[in-house]
Amino acid sequence: MNRIAKVEKLSPATVAAICKREHKSVDAVQQLTAGLTSYASQACLERIIEKLDKDEIPAGVLPICFGILRDKERSDLGQAQTVIEHKQTLTIDQVKAELDQMKRNAEDAE
């Protein structure tokens, strides 16, 4: 909204008010864009497959474009674009302590 306000020489509040008033139009455009992005992603993948089958391109050229389009498509569909993995390193003493605790809990349950 700030970019639009700057280009159109309006206040951000005016742009926000117009967006709120025209939300149905904005939503329709966003849905159209999501559909076009999905179509472009599929077309790009088909083109990658065709060109790779014919050895017309290096293997790493078009997949970059496809990856960007796929990320945008996932964003438009509300899907996760990245996965964050948290790893924890345990010491042998921590493992032994956990096993001892499990053993105590099992004995208490008997």
Side-chain angles (χ1 to χ4, degrees):
M1 283 195 230
N2 287 332
R3 182 177 53 83
I4 293 170
K6 185 176 180 180
V7 169
E8 299 299 325
K9 297 181 177 135
L10 300 168
S11 75
T14 301
V15 175
I18 292 168
C19 271
K20 186 174 181 179
R21 185 186 73 207
E22 301 296 330
H23 69 88
K24 288 181 183 178
S25 297
V26 171
D27 290 346
V29 169
Q30 287 176 335
Q31 287 179 351
L32 174 65
T33 301
L36 291 173
T37 303
S38 182
Y39 174 77
S41 179
Q42 291 170 346
C44 186
L45 179 57
E46 289 172 6
R47 187 102 162 124
I48 289 169
I49 293 168
E50 288 172 13
K51 289 198 168 279
L52 290 175
D53 283 346
K54 295 177 184 178
D55 287 328
E56 293 178 348
I57 61 165
V61 174
L62 284 179
I64 294 168
C65 178
F66 171 72
I68 293 167
L69 284 170
R70 182 70 174 141
D71 283 347
K72 179 62 178 153
E73 177 187 27
R74 292 176 66 96
S75 173
D76 289 343
L77 295 172
Q79 297 175 349
Q81 296 164 284
T82 59
V83 176
I84 299 173
E85 184 176 330
H86 297 277
K87 293 185 178 184
Q88 183 178 5
T89 305
L90 299 174
T91 66
I92 192 69
D93 291 333
Q94 290 171 315
V95 172
K96 286 180 182 178
E98 184 66 27
L99 291 173
D100 288 341
Q101 182 63 40
M102 290 171 65
K103 185 177 178 182
R104 282 192 296 276
N105 289 344
E107 290 171 354
D108 291 343
E110 293 176 358

